[in-house]
Amino acid sequence: MLLTLIFPPPPSIFMAAMSVISFTSLANAGFSELRGKHMQYSKFWNFNSSQKSAEKKQQIPQLPGRTGMLILYAPAFLAALSCLLFFPHHSTRHLLLSSALTLHFLKRLLEVQFVHSYSGGMSIDTAIPISLSYFLSTATMIYGQNLTQGLPEPPIDLKETGILLFLIGISGNFYHHYILSKMRLKGDKEYKIPKGGLFELVICPHYFFEIMGFVGVSCISQTLYAFSFAMGTALYLTGRSCATRKWYLSKFKEFPQTVKALIPYVL
């Protein structure tokens, strides 16, 4: 069944290893979020309260929130843009993949600069691994697509489905980021319970749509690595969403119990 949805895996040890590494590392990060070991950004940027951890953290350079987020996305954007502009595209699928990844990270950079409000910073030991992850996954996904040249197309073509999911995903993600940005007045750093859009049903609809976007990218690509990365991302953001809901429940007594973490009425 799987082989009807993806290109035959190329005889590449690198691609096989990256598929396993991407999935397991992202899945492990998601389970770490559930266990209370959070990536140090957004509302969790200063979460560790133990004295030993606080002393250790003081020795690690801290970045302003906007700077940290720019570091997260800029290398991946440049990698995708370079592939889009300077490398030959042997198929429509290859062109669509490079375009989708470029658009995704361009959107994120524009949001970082013009949409997001920041209440905290980001430690450099968080920014660098995430930035490397995005950069390597982007370059690897495009490289893996290049290796499909000359291979038979998957029996089930998911390109159009992927384009639709990707466009819905980035649109929904942007819309809910915009809602979050309008919750605070200028200079206000206090968190509030989000209202509007799917925030009435889940606390992290922006993650829900981000997952949808990456599933769309994997459907455009239809390679084993793209699906591995999308599944790993879904597991990480699921863990992060559950941790976020737990944080809101602990901070706001009036937080609605009916609001789920990620999937309306389900999770």
Side-chain angles (χ1 to χ4, degrees), residues 22-48:
S22 291
F23 176 77
T24 54
S25 60
L26 286 165
N28 180 64
F31 289 125
S32 294
E33 293 286 341
L34 292 174
R35 294 193 297 266
K37 186 177 180 181
H38 306 297
M39 298 293 281
Q40 302 287 297
Y41 66 93
S42 187
K43 59 182 61 61
F44 295 112
W45 88 279
N46 200 24
F47 187 80
N48 244 323

Side-chain angles (χ1 to χ4, degrees), residues 132-201:
L132 283 173
S133 173
Y134 279 134
F135 172 79
L136 287 174
S137 62
T138 299
T140 303
M141 202 177 304
I142 295 173
Y143 172 68
Q145 199 67 47
N146 191 61
L147 293 180
T148 65
Q149 186 173 2
L151 295 177
E153 285 277 328
I156 300 176
D157 188 350
L158 298 177
K159 281 198 305 291
E160 293 181 1
T161 301
I163 294 170
L164 180 62
L165 288 174
F166 173 73
L167 293 176
I168 294 174
I170 62 168
S171 300
N173 180 262
F174 170 77
Y175 174 65
H176 290 92
H177 280 162
Y178 179 77
I179 290 176
L180 286 173
S181 73
K182 294 303 178 183
M183 288 173 52
R184 298 177 187 163
L185 300 175
K186 190 174 182 179
D188 184 8
K189 294 189 176 183
E190 289 295 318
Y191 278 93
K192 301 178 178 65
I193 300 175
K195 301 290 183 183
L198 285 183
F199 283 114
E200 306 298 331
L201 299 176

